[in-house]
Each structure stands twice: as C-alpha cells, then as structure tokens.
Amino acid sequence: MNMKKLLSMVLAAALMTGVLAGCGGNNGGSTSGAADSGTASNPPAGSQPASSGSAPDALVINFPTASASGALYAVGAAITNLWDTEIDYVSASSQASAGGIENLNLVSAGEAQVSIAISSNCYQCLNGTDSFEGYAYDDLRVIAGLYFNPNQVVATEKSGITNLADVKGKHFAVASAGSSVYGECENHFTAAGLTFPDDINCEYITFTDAADMLQNGSIDGAWIMSGAPASAVTQACTAGCKLVDISDDVISALQAQYPWYAPFTIPAGTYPNQDVDVQTSAIKMVMFCRGDLSEVSVYDLTKTFWENIDKLGEAQGNLKGLTPEEAVKDIAGLPLHAGAERYYKEIGVL
C-alpha cells in the first residue's frame, strides 16, 4: 500500500471517529436539551404529566406549619402528603414551627418554599410593616385563601373573665412575644381599652403549655388562634374552662383599623361543655409561596390541591367545604402566584 493511500485511510477513520463522538455527545446531553426545548422523555409508568407538556425539575417543598397541638400542623401534613403522593416530581414534607410569622420568615429566607399564615401577617411581610419593618419580602405570592382562623379566648371559671376588659390584671397566656398570636392579643386588648401588655400579667408560652396550665388552674386564661376545634381548647374545656365572647364593639373597632377582620361564630357543641354559640373575630388563612417557584410547578400544586379538596376535607376538618371561588376572596389584596392565577382563570373563577 502506497503512502498516499494509507494516509487517506487514516484520515477517513479519524473523521468517522469524530462524527461518532459528536453523536455520542448529543445523546449524552439529551436530557437537558429535551427539557430546554420543551420535549421530555417518556415519564415513568403512573407518573403525572406536567401541565405544560415538559417535565419540570424536581421540586423539594419544605412546609412549616405551627405547633404540633394546633390545627395548622395537621392541615400542613395533609396538604404535603397529597402533593408528595400525587405529583411525581414533588417531594413535600411539613414540619412544626412557631407559627405564621416564623413561616413567613422561613419562606422569605429561602429555607421553606410554601407555608400558611393569616392574611394580615402576609400583608405585613409583603409590605415590610409591623413585625417585618425593614424586612419586606415583596416576592411573596398566594396559592389560595383557605379557611377563617378564629381567635379563641379561653378562661377558667374562677377567673371571673367574661369579656376582654376583664383580663386586666389577670395571669394570661399571650403566646411568644413577636408571634402572630401576640399581635392578635395586642390588637384586641387595645381595642378593648387595655394598655397591652402592661395591664396584663403575661405568660409567654405555647398553646400546649397554656392548655396544661389552664387545666391545672395555674393561669386565668389564654389566647388560642387556631381552626376550631383546636386540641388545646378542647383540653381546657374538658377541664371546666370556657370560651369568652368578643363583643361587637371590639370587632367594629378592629375593622375600622384592620379591614381583614371578620366576625366569626363558634357553634355550640364545638367543644365540651359549650352549650351556646360564641362570637369571636377571625382572619382568613392564606397558603403562600415563594414567587420564584416556577409557574408550571405552582399551577400543578394548585390544581392538585383543588382537585382533591374533598379527600383533604375528609382528612382534616378545617379544609372541609373549601371552594376555589372563595379562595381568591378576603386575602387582603395579596398577589396570586402566576401559576395559581392561571389555574383560577382556567376554571372560570377569575
């Protein structure tokens, strides 16, 4: 074989090797390339296709709730279990927390992705007011307004407390300083004519500890903000404690300054030894998320939530009877996430 022919064969072989290597490189990058172009490989059997026609990246959702004795803890567990089970690319789990203000701080810091808080705290966080002064999180977005969260004032019989003004000078549990429940105490007792916290012998404890102290009579009363029935209130009422009405005058004074408040009735029989309806105030709970979650992911979260709301209601009473129509009302003007907004428009709610 002459040298020219040998050189031609070597060059041809080298060219073929380069072509094959190029093909192999394209195959090796097919996963990311398909995702970028909107084309996904076949999903595993039984998986839920993404609503946009492409496979979203795996999404880990950390969902803080509240203390383990509150209704919110069970609500978060029910929702995350649904998402974790029904959406193939989502890994979701709930955890106990100090409640709404901590939840908002965790989400704004990126340590959590989705959570629940009362609409007033969400508004304050979005706008950097009150507890969030100087720490606004303007990328907070709403997935759904949920149920009204009632304030529940519990007192021992021997305390003589029959209205909020009677708490003056009493030994009373107001939750952790700086918490959303503490804020409720401040708003309500101020509206009732008290100087808060100076007029009250305050105890800064959890709902669980408050229930124990009410049961043994070592405090006169406690402020519990939770969906009804709440286990802490049930425990206290079983031991002979009672719920205290919040008057029309106090509620009107609150509404004049804070338009998110609404009157709320806890029906007779909700708790042991509760023979009459009890009037209180309430604020709607809001399920919110980080604004940087993708539109397709939040669409899937919202869609899965509402398409399984009956099952969720069976698992957790506070979610029973919720409707998408009410989910976009009474949320203090908070912005919806684009993915949630897309779903509500799709079903004709917006």
Side-chain angles (χ1 to χ4, degrees):
M1 181 181 300
N2 61 39
M3 184 59 68
K4 184 175 180 180
K5 185 173 183 181
L6 178 60
L7 182 59
S8 297
M9 290 176 65
V10 170
L11 291 172
L15 180 61
M16 182 59 69
T17 299
V19 170
L20 291 174
C23 292
N26 288 339
N27 287 339
S30 61
T31 300
S32 60
D36 292 342
S37 65
T39 304
S41 57
N42 291 332
S47 67
Q48 177 176 319
S51 54
S52 67
S54 62
D57 293 335
L59 175 62
V60 176
I61 293 176
N62 181 26
F63 192 126
T65 56
S67 67
S69 63
L72 187 55
Y73 181 83
V75 168
I79 294 171
T80 53
N81 180 65
L82 172 72
W83 287 341
D84 193 70
T85 302
E86 296 294 327
I87 307 177
D88 65 291
Y89 64 89
V90 169
S91 176
S93 60
S94 60
Q95 66 182 54
S97 77
I101 288 179
E102 183 182 18
N103 296 345
L104 286 156
N105 286 330
L106 288 169
V107 169
S108 65
E111 296 177 30
Q113 292 69 45
V114 181
S115 191
I116 297 178
I118 53 178
S119 60
S120 55
N121 285 161
C122 292
Y123 179 92
Q124 292 159 357
C125 180
L126 180 73
N127 293 285
T129 65
D130 297 86
S131 298
F132 302 93
E133 186 171 355
Y135 298 94
Y137 177 52
D138 58 10
D139 206 23
L140 181 147
R141 295 295 181 268
V142 171
I143 294 176
L146 301 177
Y147 54 90
F148 279 103
N149 200 33
N151 287 293
Q152 301 177 65
V153 183
V154 193
T156 63
E157 285 288 351
K158 69 177 183 179
S159 70
I161 296 172
T162 61
N163 57 59
L164 295 190
D166 289 339
V167 178
K168 185 174 183 178
K170 304 294 185 181
H171 190 190
F172 192 90
V174 297
S176 302
S179 68
S180 56
V181 176
Y182 183 89
E184 289 303 297
C185 291
E186 182 173 20
N187 292 348
H188 283 75
F189 286 125
T190 300
L194 275 63
T195 299
F196 183 84
D198 297 345
D199 281 346
I200 300 171
N201 179 14
C202 294
E203 191 74 44
Y204 303 94
I205 54 177
T206 66
F207 292 167
T208 302
D209 291 339
D212 290 340
M213 293 181 75
L214 284 167
Q215 190 172 25
N216 63 36
S218 55
I219 56 174
D220 296 310
W223 198 286
I224 309 289
M225 190 180 198
S226 178
S231 59
V233 180
T234 298
Q235 179 182 339
C237 289
T238 300
C241 294
K242 63 182 181 181
L243 286 166
V244 177
D245 273 302
I246 295 180
S247 69
D248 290 335
D249 289 345
V250 170
I251 293 175
S252 295
L254 288 167
Q255 289 176 321
Q257 191 170 359
Y258 311 105
W260 47 69
Y261 281 111
F264 187 90
T265 299
I266 301 174
T270 300
Y271 293 108
N273 306 313
Q274 182 203 348
D275 300 325
V276 297
D277 292 347
V278 174
Q279 176 177 275
T280 185
S281 62
I283 305 176
K284 183 168 276 191
M285 298 298 296
V286 173
M287 180 160 59
F288 63 92
C289 66
R290 291 185 56 82
D292 58 9
L293 292 182
S294 72
E295 179 179 334
V296 62
S297 295
V298 176
Y299 173 89
D300 286 341
L301 295 176
T302 310
K303 179 181 175 70
T304 302
F305 175 81
W306 287 114
E307 289 188 346
N308 292 275
I309 193 62
D310 290 341
K311 179 166 49 173
L312 286 170
E314 292 172 3
Q316 222 301 312
N318 285 293
L319 299 176
K320 190 175 183 65
L322 299 186
T323 65
E325 289 78 11
E326 293 299 316
V328 295
K329 299 177 182 177
D330 300 313
I331 58 173
L334 298 166
L336 291 167
H337 191 284
E341 184 175 10
R342 174 183 156 198
Y343 174 75
Y344 293 123
K345 286 181 177 178
E346 185 177 279
I347 64 172
V349 168
L350 292 177

